[in-house]
Amino acid sequence: MVTLMTYAGAAAADAPGTRTGGVPLVPAGFEWPVCAECDGPMQFLAQVDLGGGLFSVFMCQNDPGMCDEWDATAGGNRAFVFGAGAVHAATPPGDGVTMLEEVCAVAFAPVDAGGYREATESWSRLTGRPAREVLGHTGTAAQWLQNDETPECGGCGRPMTFVVQLDEGHDHRTAINFGNGYGYGFRCEPCGEAAFLWQC
């Protein structure tokens, strides 16, 4: 079974739960992340409801391709696991590329399939909707485009647990920039650490 994340129309910029775009819901005292390479503020991509918390992803888009935003450890992206106190809408910095062009609500669709691509094709056939309206999936194994790059936790050194695989989006004009690939989010629940990378 693969749980697909599907496009469910426009959402408010500060909507709770799982969505792409908008502004992140964060705990008090949160500081907007900046790229370790260009020092510019990162773009907020998505938040995923963990059931009592949020997994949130940011990536540098100030000069696409110049910072190592695809790498889990180079500092060109950041992922966070926020607890139940993540209820404050963050204020984006006034400079840099910090927001996506669209805020998308997400619906979840369990599909009985052996993998993400198969599930996407099956969902598209059953619903008559374009496959591009699948925004990603949660809860099952990552479907790598290249080699398995599951990151290790910086705290305990163990392989992290898969959380979410993100597609670029339903509209190429407002899509996330993964070079026509996928983004992958991971967490270490005992340590509270998170990581993100993308492949194309």
Side-chain angles (χ1 to χ4, degrees), residues 11 21 38 57 64 68 74 81 92 102 105 136 139 144 158 166 168 172 182:
C38 72
V57 180
D68 292 334
V81 175
E102 182 182 17
W144 299 102
R158 295 176 181 156
L166 294 174
E168 292 188 312
H172 68 89
Y182 298 140

Side-chain angles (χ1 to χ4, degrees), residues 37-85:
E37 297 187 65
C38 72
D39 290 324
M42 293 186 184
Q43 183 182 56
F44 173 64
L45 303 184
Q47 64 183 30
V48 178
D49 190 344
L50 298 173
L54 294 170
F55 181 90
S56 295
V57 180
F58 297 75
M59 182 174 75
C60 181
Q61 283 296 281
N62 296 304
D63 195 358
M66 297 306 294
C67 300
D68 292 334
E69 70 269 14
W70 57 87
D71 188 271
T73 60
N77 68 61
R78 286 289 306 276
F80 298 89
V81 175
F82 297 133

Side-chain angles (χ1 to χ4, degrees), residues 7-197:
Y7 174 65
D14 60 351
T18 302
R19 59 177 156 82
T20 62
V23 295
L25 297 183
V26 298
F30 174 79
E31 293 186 8
W32 199 280
V34 297
C35 177
E37 297 187 65
C38 72
D39 290 324
M42 293 186 184
Q43 183 182 56
F44 173 64
L45 303 184
Q47 64 183 30
V48 178
D49 190 344
L50 298 173
L54 294 170
F55 181 90
S56 295
V57 180
F58 297 75
M59 182 174 75
C60 181
Q61 283 296 281
N62 296 304
D63 195 358
M66 297 306 294
C67 300
D68 292 334
E69 70 269 14
W70 57 87
D71 188 271
T73 60
N77 68 61
R78 286 289 306 276
F80 298 89
V81 175
F82 297 133
V87 295
H88 307 280
T91 301
D95 61 331
V97 180
T98 59
M99 307 275 286
L100 290 174
E101 294 293 326
E102 182 182 17
V103 187
C104 297
V106 171
F108 292 93
V111 178
D112 188 7
Y116 178 49
R117 289 192 187 105
E118 180 186 338
T120 297
E121 292 168 1
S122 177
W123 176 86
S124 180
R125 285 195 306 270
L126 288 170
T127 62
R129 292 169 60 185
R132 192 170 180 102
E133 290 193 5
V134 174
L135 305 181
H137 75 100
T138 62
T140 52
Q143 183 157 335
W144 299 102
L145 290 173
Q146 300 179 27
N147 296 326
D148 185 334
E149 293 187 77
T150 300
E152 294 182 348
C153 174
C156 66
R158 295 176 181 156
M160 288 184 159
T161 301
F162 173 75
V163 174
V164 65
Q165 182 167 327
L166 294 174
D167 252 295
E168 292 188 312
H170 77 107
D171 187 336
H172 68 89
R173 295 171 298 180
T174 59
I176 300 170
N177 180 15
F178 295 144
N180 293 318
Y182 298 140
Y184 304 88
F186 296 83
R187 70 184 293 199
C188 177
E189 191 167 358
C191 296
E193 297 291 325
F196 182 77
L197 65 133

